[in-house]
Amino acid sequence: MDANEVLKAVKAGTMSVEEAEAFFRRKPFEDLGFGKVDVHRKLRTGAAEVVWCEGKADDHLLRLYEHIISSEGEVLGTRATPHQAELIKAHFPEAFYDPISRILKIEKDGKLHRGLICVCSAGSADLRVAEEAALTAEFLGNKVLRVYDVGVSGLHRLLSKLEEIQKANCIVAVAGMEGALASVIGGLVSKPVLAVPTSVGYGASFHGLSALLTMLNSCANGVATLNIDNGFGAGFMASQINLAICQGGSHE
Amino acid sequence: MDANEVLKAVKAGTMSVEEAEAFFRRKPFEDLGFGKVDVHRKLRTGAAEVVWCEGKADDHLLRLYEHIISSEGEVLGTRATPHQAELIKAHFPEAFYDPISRILKIEKDGKLHRGLICVCSAGSADLRVAEEAALTAEFLGNKVLRVYDVGVSGLHRLLSKLEEIQKANCIVAVAGMEGALASVIGGLVSKPVLAVPTSVGYGASFHGLSALLTMLNSCANGVATLNIDNGFGAGFMASQINLAICQGGSHE
Amino acid sequence: MDANEVLKAVKAGTMSVEEAEAFFRRKPFEDLGFGKVDVHRKLRTGAAEVVWCEGKADDHLLRLYEHIISSEGEVLGTRATPHQAELIKAHFPEAFYDPISRILKIEKDGKLHRGLICVCSAGSADLRVAEEAALTAEFLGNKVLRVYDVGVSGLHRLLSKLEEIQKANCIVAVAGMEGALASVIGGLVSKPVLAVPTSVGYGASFHGLSALLTMLNSCANGVATLNIDNGFGAGFMASQINLAICQGGSHE
Amino acid sequence: MDANEVLKAVKAGTMSVEEAEAFFRRKPFEDLGFGKVDVHRKLRTGAAEVVWCEGKADDHLLRLYEHIISSEGEVLGTRATPHQAELIKAHFPEAFYDPISRILKIEKDGKLHRGLICVCSAGSADLRVAEEAALTAEFLGNKVLRVYDVGVSGLHRLLSKLEEIQKANCIVAVAGMEGALASVIGGLVSKPVLAVPTSVGYGASFHGLSALLTMLNSCANGVATLNIDNGFGAGFMASQINLAICQGGSHE
Amino acid sequence: MDANEVLKAVKAGTMSVEEAEAFFRRKPFEDLGFGKVDVHRKLRTGAAEVVWCEGKADDHLLRLYEHIISSEGEVLGTRATPHQAELIKAHFPEAFYDPISRILKIEKDGKLHRGLICVCSAGSADLRVAEEAALTAEFLGNKVLRVYDVGVSGLHRLLSKLEEIQKANCIVAVAGMEGALASVIGGLVSKPVLAVPTSVGYGASFHGLSALLTMLNSCANGVATLNIDNGFGAGFMASQINLAICQGGSHE
Amino acid sequence: MDANEVLKAVKAGTMSVEEAEAFFRRKPFEDLGFGKVDVHRKLRTGAAEVVWCEGKADDHLLRLYEHIISSEGEVLGTRATPHQAELIKAHFPEAFYDPISRILKIEKDGKLHRGLICVCSAGSADLRVAEEAALTAEFLGNKVLRVYDVGVSGLHRLLSKLEEIQKANCIVAVAGMEGALASVIGGLVSKPVLAVPTSVGYGASFHGLSALLTMLNSCANGVATLNIDNGFGAGFMASQINLAICQGGSHE
Amino acid sequence: MDANEVLKAVKAGTMSVEEAEAFFRRKPFEDLGFGKVDVHRKLRTGAAEVVWCEGKADDHLLRLYEHIISSEGEVLGTRATPHQAELIKAHFPEAFYDPISRILKIEKDGKLHRGLICVCSAGSADLRVAEEAALTAEFLGNKVLRVYDVGVSGLHRLLSKLEEIQKANCIVAVAGMEGALASVIGGLVSKPVLAVPTSVGYGASFHGLSALLTMLNSCANGVATLNIDNGFGAGFMASQINLAICQGGSHE
Amino acid sequence: MDANEVLKAVKAGTMSVEEAEAFFRRKPFEDLGFGKVDVHRKLRTGAAEVVWCEGKADDHLLRLYEHIISSEGEVLGTRATPHQAELIKAHFPEAFYDPISRILKIEKDGKLHRGLICVCSAGSADLRVAEEAALTAEFLGNKVLRVYDVGVSGLHRLLSKLEEIQKANCIVAVAGMEGALASVIGGLVSKPVLAVPTSVGYGASFHGLSALLTMLNSCANGVATLNIDNGFGAGFMASQINLAICQGGSHE
């Protein structure tokens, strides 16, 4: 149960005020010894803590998954190895692992997907980052349109999909090498573009630096940039934007 | 008159279909000799062309302002010098110039400001970038809350404003030197944060590189980064997000 | 008279073998004290020495112009200041100076322009570099098509000119900021593209580094890159390619 | 069959207009699920899609090779591993693999090689990049002269080959470490030089950055630079230039 | 026996002046063939030589440990591998090895721990550096308070510990990614902060460069920076400061 | 009156509890419109707000000085221009300005200077940074020993002063160019060394980057690094350390 | 036999002019297929070709060793692996391999060692580079004094050897991390210092960049810098200087 | 009188031992208040202190010149402005100022110039650095051969001078832009080459970084590199080498 559900339960009368108070008396993070799980994060920032799996020891990873599932009912992990996927699946057979994006997640059933986020990628090697963004956005409750392999060296591929892209509330543009995709899309749509440089390339791509600078210098407006290979971050922020649009704003 | 007004006029019956056709028959950009004004940009990307004043010759600048005012009824210019402000004011006495942000604009009367964007800045030297963002967002029809001089070296200043900040649909975080403001805000709110590094600082700030890297590496989620000193870009994108939220999304 | 003209005169019988021998007995460079004029350069590399005016003292500059005109009958100078233009015009009233490209040249009459080179530029601030390329190519005997202000933030401007661009034997693509123009053109044409990054931009453009990296990492084939702001170099090399195509190759 | 062959067949009367129409009705790229094969690329940019083998999964690679062979009758792959070579050879026994350049290709018989491209390299460690350029150019129908191990630390090696080098229509100069070869060649010939920095070296070569900067700053004219280790790109562009010269230009 | 103990023994009358002279007649370093052990370092800089284990050959490492133990009675080693730990434990069963910090030490019994140093770290991946600092400081005779996993993306975690942190004489702030922790702590306390950037992160963290620049540009006063991942150096310098405060200064 | 004085007055009976309450009821910062003066900073971090004069408008600067003097009785400003010095002196004739360090201060009479900080500098061009550190430390109540022009190219100059340097509780080492001074001092003393790289140098000093990296990589222990040219920061932190040592620590 | 020996033999009457002519008729380099051995290099630059073993295929390496031994009677190889050492020893049992410096050489007996070169190194990890310099210099006929482990963090180690160091004709200073050793030595001696930065260090040493910049910015005169880890280059150039001094100059 | 002259006077009987003792009793540096003049430097490093004029205040500069002339009888200053030249000439009419190299010197009459140093430069813009090297070497008593404007884009210019260059005992190679001159010379001569990168160039020359990296990565042996624009340092070190060769070495 998460904070939102507790509050709704109180409103609905299915939980007493005393029980709710007990819930909130828990201190805002719980110390597992090797790290503090940020229990109130969903309340504060709109989403539960996500597990960065890379480099986590087996037992730490398992305890994190167990802890978050017990409080949230679901969990999203990124940069998981096949070994970590085996480990979690052994305890949670319902876990899903995608070897390309390295997402390892356990998800509630019947999740509603709202609005529309479009994830575009330039080359087939950018897929792993694009899918990290797409799967993150879906986990967080967004509809996702994937438009892959539409790099600027063959513009017709992108232009043929333009009408669909323009329907999205937010676009994630993933590209390595020269990273021009974000600028080109930014000039063709009226929606915010979250640009993700990837480390795809060689030589003067300097592990993504070239694409990063390209995106920061975009001559098109409405483009902001995430860290190199940060597909998760783009999916997360696209979700913030798309879901806020779906709900409509409180100010007028 | 801009494209949107033409279409509304057609709907309202105050303009004939033939007149509207004539409007749209204009080619999508007009060549002024020294540059092409992108006439259909508002239709395509949601906002009319903005004038980057820096380095423009006097006559070019004047013709650009005249051209855009004639088609849009208003114009926004950035990075204008006091001399350029004098020049434009001599022809358009209603022009407004702010010497801190270097915004030089002529704005329609009675503009409606909707939703809420919060612009936060770390130090008093970041003001010029923060005001560029704020004035841009206001020009584009957004309500703006300014929360300035709330750098992380005195956290209580930021925390004392937190409740107000959390009401905004989108936050622009402007900071130079170590640029930590964006991460700290990102960890405290559930709304998208557009981070703008500034070139404020000296030595190892390397003209904004330090703040730029800080923001790209934000450990908080929901933070995307603009180019160094790009207050305009942040105000523009924040407007895209805030106005979309005000209108509500078309997908559900 | 240059080497080529000497040889043709010999063939035509208007110069004796002895006179030609005297011409070629001159040592391959002449020492003006402050620098060596490379007399045989046209013979060796296909073009006479070009004067880099920046920082040259007045008397050195004048003597260089005099020397090259006396041997070649014309001279091309780059990066000249208005003061230098005045100086040369005072001695050579037929001199031409373009304040945008900073080209300062004296050109033979009735020059034939052959083939076609297309010079494209992204923004109006890139004009100074684009014109340096275009004027250089024209000086060297090439027809030049200028397609300016076609940056990728408004793709329709570029696409509307595509048919004309495709007719050129070589394309020069000039762009600052994110420099995506070269990649996009490279994906649309079958001719070699010489990419020139410019120092136009601010912040993370790092004085042209961003555009330079973009162009080096072009995902389109057939793109090679010149130094930042090196319009002259691009015009020179485009001329080598275009003129060679006009003449046709000797190998089959 | 490729587009050019279709058109020639129509002209020759061996294919009906209806069949040709069917050919061109195919959409300009075909989606293999994991990536889009750019079918019309040869028509648009003068060469069929080339396969970047690095990191491709076995089944994807095989399907790409099959697809391109079916439409083009031949295929060029770069950066292939010995394992990938085994895989492709098992299905296409006529495939050729060069372990130094890592080129993996299947080539039509009796290909005509035209004009002349000269590929020069500085040290024996630069061979892998030089051969990538040379084999690419040969695949695309060019004659290639190899002049290897002629680095500037022993100038006589280069000078002894100068007469042969000067006969080429285009020169590819491959060098790591200090990368001075391109400048030196550029000063000795009148043909365009495509410079390829390599990652050969250690310490302050910074993985090819030193050679890259050297080449971009060439004091000789007629030198343009490719990405570090991009032998393929140089061979491709040299082919564009050489073949255009062989055909002669359409403009006069 | 170390120099300090010798001098105290002389004062106490348990060692004759002649014996002490013999001790100091030893030259100030001893040459083990593969390196010079700096025997007088404790006298000169306040602490005995510490062994940097990384890359040391087995026999060199063992001889260094033996040598230092024989003169100091204890030894501190950093960046030891598990294999090196096995090696030393085989000879010195009392050796202690911590696989996270990679500290490998043999310590005198009954060591007094004085004053208070607080070691804060941002994320769980920064633990290895934080523990290197903490264990070093403890070895050198300081009390250490560990406050881990208090990164700025969840400020409440840090704020909840503030009162304890403020009691320390010196604070070590360890953070990777954007490294904002040092600035935030610097603004909240009146004690010197030693900032240690870590190489934790990916993409634009550039192996710790981002956190390093952040810390150098701290907008809070009282923050100085160590090398990336240099937990040992921070623990050492914090000890210098804390122990000096415990002893009180000699000047007034 | 500052917070500390208020509390002492309460203890001494010269101020009523009610008056003290009124003092503390003031909100922790006061908004001057153009910036927030951090009134409680002295309470929180041990020192009142210091004015960074660079780029401040005349009226803002004057109001800041007036405000801080009214609450603290003194004020320290850094990076002041001669013009700013004239301005402040016109209002506060007792103001002191040092054109080398650019310190502009008004100081309480009869300040006690305690302990000892040693400020060392390498070359005469580093003086401006060294003096900024020294004057800052003196303003904050420390005794300062200046040891200037002792760069490592003439070691005897440094060694001749060693005995005096070793008496300090903390050493500030200021050096540009190769910045080796900090390492050398670090190896000779047992006290903490705060290293300040300066932008003195040319070419590969890259505006202080070289000295910065040298200091971060110091092979001597007990060295931490400040930002390039940050003499103020070093003086401030040295004061924190020296005064804490003078007072002695509360923990044992 | 090398060129010098041929000429001496002619002078001595033990070789006929015809035989010598035959020797010099050999073209100045011999093409082994995979690389050109520069036969006349010793004549031109004073030393025979040295083999860079890294990455050489077994058969290429063997043929290079055989070829150089046949013409020079000895051979020097650098950066050899243990496997390559085994290979060469199997064919040339007299070969010598040093696993630290990775020098693999076969040397003429009874070589005279002249003059004096001093090789200093800072830390024990710099040994591999220092030994590469020392063994190279010995191979080329120089006496070498090794002064190792004299880094600036313990200056007395260096000062205790100063008198010996000052006797050398040329000093090689090898250091990683902050690289201050070269500056310090440069200030203490009147002989040229060849500085070799090493990649020893971590974090902000950036693989030797820090030490490289330190050495380039040396505040002491008479210091020039080699590439990172280039011990061979330093040994070679020190030999040029030392042997020239031993022979005395021809100009007066 | 300098130390050497004192000692010779003692030997010659023109100075008593007591007078000489008085001379040497002067402390090894004299404190002028604003800096320490290193009196014994000539004794220790072979050359008197040289004045870096840049940024020195008028009175400091004058006192430095006076002081060094009084002890040495001559003085060498670098990077002097025309204003500083006027100042010194007003007091020392015999002073010589060269506006290109910015050398400002007063030199003893009848100085003997020995041996031979060759200073080569690539382009006419490199002259200021080349002349700084040449004039420094001449001041220190060396014969200098100037070979200017011999950049690698016209190799014949360099090759035509090769015989003369090879006669020098040491070569200084000065080049900006791509800096290839040092490598090319290094491959043609058997003498040590001191390479000086200059900041000449634009764009990707990055103020001399490109030439610096080129020289550090020289594929020719016997090349060591000075700081960007450090003509003085090259002239100084070339003098050390040349004069040592002239004297012949003491070791055999």
Side-chain angles (χ1 to χ4, degrees), chain E residues 44-62:
Chain E
R44 203 175 67 247
T45 69
E49 185 151 11
V50 172
V51 182
W52 172 270
C53 300
E54 200 167 276
K56 289 260 182 319
D58 280 8
D59 59 329
H60 289 188
L61 189 73
L62 187 53

Side-chain angles (χ1 to χ4, degrees), chain D residues 13 23 26 50-51 56 69 71 81 94 104 106 120 128 134 164 173 180 192 203 210 219 230 232 245:
Chain D
F23 176 88
R26 291 188 325 189
V50 172
V51 182
K56 290 261 184 319
I69 287 168
S71 70
T81 61
E94 71 275 29
L104 174 57
I106 299 164
C120 301
R128 61 193 175 83
E164 287 177 75
S210 169
C219 57
N230 190 4
F232 163 71
I245 292 173

Side-chain angles (χ1 to χ4, degrees), chain F residues 100 123-125 127 147-150 153-158 160-161 177 200-207, chain H residues 28-29 31 34-38 40-41 44-45 49 52 54 56 79 206-207 209 212 227-231:
Chain F
I100 289 176
S124 57
L127 213 74
V147 179
Y148 289 171
D149 214 13
V150 292
S153 71
L155 265 186
H156 54 292
R157 296 179 297 190
L158 177 65
S160 74
K161 297 280 190 178
M177 297 181 73
V200 169
Y202 63 95
S205 82
F206 296 125
H207 310 294
Chain H
F29 49 87
D31 202 324
F34 57 88
K36 297 185 177 54
V37 177
D38 190 344
H40 281 200
R41 185 190 287 256
R44 202 176 68 247
T45 70
E49 183 151 11
W52 172 270
E54 201 167 279
K56 290 262 184 315
R79 311 236 172 161
F206 295 125
H207 311 294
L209 177 61
L212 172 63
N227 193 359
I228 297 163
D229 290 335
N230 190 4

Side-chain angles (χ1 to χ4, degrees), chain B residues 186-217:
Chain B
L188 293 169
V189 302
S190 61
K191 305 300 171 45
V193 177
L194 299 178
V196 188
T198 72
S199 54
V200 169
Y202 63 95
S205 82
F206 296 125
H207 310 294
L209 178 62
S210 169
L212 173 63
L213 293 180
T214 301
M215 289 167 171
L216 286 167
N217 283 286

Side-chain angles (χ1 to χ4, degrees), chain F residues 103-181:
Chain F
I103 290 279
L104 174 57
K105 66 177 177 179
I106 298 163
E107 203 168 355
K108 289 180 184 169
D109 288 337
K111 189 176 283 187
L112 180 69
H113 296 93
R114 308 171 68 198
L116 189 64
I117 291 167
C118 177
V119 178
C120 301
S121 74
S124 57
D126 301 315
L127 213 74
R128 61 190 175 84
V129 178
E131 272 301 300
E132 193 184 79
L135 287 169
T136 295
E138 287 176 342
F139 182 90
L140 296 171
N142 303 274
K143 270 189 211 140
V144 173
L145 171 69
R146 288 159 171 85
V147 179
Y148 289 171
D149 214 13
V150 292
V152 301
S153 71
L155 265 186
H156 54 292
R157 296 179 297 190
L158 177 65
L159 298 177
S160 74
K161 297 280 190 178
L162 192 51
E163 215 168 330
E164 287 178 74
I165 297 171
Q166 285 170 330
K167 286 181 186 149
N169 285 321
C170 182
I171 292 135
V172 174
V174 177
M177 297 181 73
E178 99 285 58
L181 184 63

Side-chain angles (χ1 to χ4, degrees), chain A residues 57-148:
Chain A
D58 280 8
D59 59 328
H60 289 188
L61 188 73
L62 187 53
R63 284 169 62 196
L64 270 170
Y65 268 69
E66 288 171 345
H67 193 92
I68 297 175
I69 287 169
S70 78
S71 70
E72 304 294 336
E74 63 181 9
V75 60
L76 177 67
T78 62
R79 312 241 171 156
T81 61
H83 165 79
Q84 291 174 324
E86 288 312 307
L87 172 81
I88 296 299
K89 280 182 175 172
H91 290 76
F92 300 94
E94 72 275 30
F96 167 87
Y97 180 63
D98 170 43
I100 289 176
S101 65
R102 291 175 294 156
I103 290 279
L104 174 58
K105 66 175 176 179
I106 298 164
E107 202 168 356
K108 288 180 184 169
D109 287 338
K111 188 175 283 185
L112 182 70
H113 296 93
R114 308 171 69 198
L116 189 66
I117 291 167
C118 177
V119 179
C120 301
S121 73
S124 56
D126 301 314
L127 213 74
R128 59 189 178 85
V129 177
E131 272 301 299
E132 193 184 79
L135 288 169
T136 295
E138 287 176 343
F139 182 89
L140 296 171
N142 304 274
K143 271 190 210 140
V144 174
L145 170 69
R146 287 160 172 85
V147 179
Y148 289 171

Side-chain angles (χ1 to χ4, degrees), chain D residues 210-226:
Chain D
S210 169
L212 173 63
L213 292 180
T214 300
M215 289 167 171
L216 287 167
N217 284 286
S218 170
C219 57
N221 297 324
V223 179
T225 306
L226 279 289

